[in-house]
Amino acid sequence: MKPYIVSIALMFTVACNSFKPFTFVQMSDTQIGFIDKSPQYTHSDSLMKAAVEAANALCPAYVFITGDLVDNPADPVQDSVYRARVAEIKAPVYSVPGNHDYMGFTKEKQEAYIALRGYDRFSFRDRGCAFIGMDSNCIKDGVMEAEAEQWDWLVRELDESKGCRYTFVFLHCPVVRESLDEKEDYFNFSKEQRTKYISLFKEKGVDVVFAGHTHQDYDTVIDGIRFVAAGPVGNALGHGTPGYNVVTVGENGVEVVYTPTPGVDPTHCVF
């Protein structure tokens, strides 16, 4: 139950303390059950097991999982597989929901997710840095009341993060993949939304925005902000391969390296 207890506790925030170099891991789209017809989802389980073991070997300060934890939130077997593997992660775990964790944003589904996983967003400050996780579902699905409430919360948390050495934001759907003027589609924000959020992030000094959702890895810089979309822990699409981001936060900058999961044959996992 470790990650769920942590998620609830994250509503309480503290000021930035002194900076200390560290490493963290970003995973995304563990998505137990995605393109997986194996008994009891043993294929998805094996991919997440390998990623968890590799992450543990790095001894990271934290592990962040940016959504699509399971493919079908109504499937108790998928939930059981996910819970068992995430419980093996030795570092503190923080997660945000993906679109498959809701299957369409409603207040009732949000409340069900919170009851199962903990709160749907987080904010904390440690090692001189700020870490803010937000729910992209209300934004992408155009649920204006829920987005407005989260926006107000986000502004407050970003304001509280002033003075931190680095500020990191985590969400599921990328704000952008490759460029500010790219075509709107399933895998990014609308042009109006991306302008709105990038303007806020720039004003408040956000350094890196971490996302997933694409099942392929992307990395771009817009207005001085780095936007990273991790490939999946589970099955990949297009140019993707199963893996995770290793993030090294040092005195002189932040290094993000997308790392294919060791021992995984990508030819069996890319569609």
Side-chain angles (χ1 to χ4, degrees):
M1 295 296 291
K2 174 180 63 177
Y4 313 108
I5 295 172
V6 167
S7 295
I8 295 170
L10 291 178
M11 291 306 295
F12 301 94
T13 59
V14 296
C16 277
N17 47 25
S18 60
F19 175 75
K20 300 176 183 178
F22 62 98
T23 297
F24 68 82
V25 169
Q26 179 211 1
M27 297 181 179
S28 198
D29 300 271
T30 50
Q31 204 160 346
I32 305 300
F34 176 61
I35 314 179
D36 184 0
K37 296 182 180 180
S38 62
Q40 301 297 299
Y41 307 113
T42 51
H43 173 68
S44 297
D45 186 28
S46 67
L47 293 176
M48 189 169 179
K49 178 178 185 293
V52 167
E53 289 177 349
N56 282 339
L58 297 172
C59 299
Y62 326 97
V63 172
F64 298 94
I65 307 179
T66 49
D68 278 5
L69 313 180
V70 298
D71 192 54
N72 178 2
D75 187 330
V77 177
Q78 292 182 12
D79 175 65
S80 177
V81 170
Y82 173 78
R83 283 177 177 269
R85 290 301 173 202
V86 83
E88 295 174 355
I89 298 175
K90 296 177 182 178
V93 178
Y94 305 96
S95 62
V96 292
N99 56 298
H100 275 266
D101 299 309
Y102 284 2
M103 303 298 277
F105 186 97
T106 66
K107 191 67 175 176
E108 292 74 21
K109 289 179 180 179
Q110 181 189 37
E111 290 171 352
Y113 176 90
I114 292 169
L116 183 65
R117 307 284 184 212
Y119 208 67
D120 65 332
R121 56 192 186 228
F122 61 80
S123 179
F124 71 100
R125 289 168 280 282
D126 190 31
R127 300 172 185 252
C129 298
F131 306 85
I132 300 173
M134 55 187 285
D135 186 344
S136 64
N137 288 294
C138 59
I139 303 168
K140 188 65 176 170
D141 291 349
V143 183
M144 297 179 64
E145 183 178 357
E147 182 189 357
E149 188 276 328
Q150 179 175 247
W151 173 271
D152 291 343
W153 170 87
L154 178 61
V155 171
R156 290 195 301 271
E157 294 304 322
L158 289 170
D159 284 340
E160 289 291 330
S161 300
K162 290 180 179 178
C164 290
R165 183 66 168 273
Y166 301 107
T167 297
F168 305 113
V169 171
F170 303 84
L171 74 170
H172 179 63
C173 181
V175 179
V176 297
R177 293 188 305 275
E178 297 178 289
S179 68
L180 184 60
D181 60 353
E182 67 192 19
K183 182 179 178 180
E184 177 188 351
D185 58 28
Y186 179 74
F187 293 108
N188 58 16
F189 280 15
S190 71
K191 291 184 178 181
E192 180 180 357
Q193 290 168 339
R194 70 185 71 154
T195 298
K196 173 182 175 181
Y197 281 89
I198 290 173
S199 295
L200 176 66
F201 293 157
K202 183 178 181 180
E203 176 190 348
K204 303 299 183 182
V206 172
D207 295 283
V208 188
V209 179
F210 293 93
H213 187 48
T214 58
H215 290 255
Q216 305 175 74
D217 56 297
Y218 292 93
D219 195 336
T220 192
V221 176
I222 297 172
D223 285 349
I225 305 167
R226 190 170 181 181
F227 291 87
V228 176
V233 167
N235 285 323
L237 299 173
H239 72 255
T241 188
Y244 47 86
N245 276 321
V246 178
V247 185
T248 304
V249 185
E251 292 283 353
N252 298 317
V254 179
E255 180 183 49
V256 182
V257 178
Y258 187 68
T259 306
T261 305
V264 170
D265 181 356
T267 64
H268 295 162
C269 307
V270 180
F271 297 84

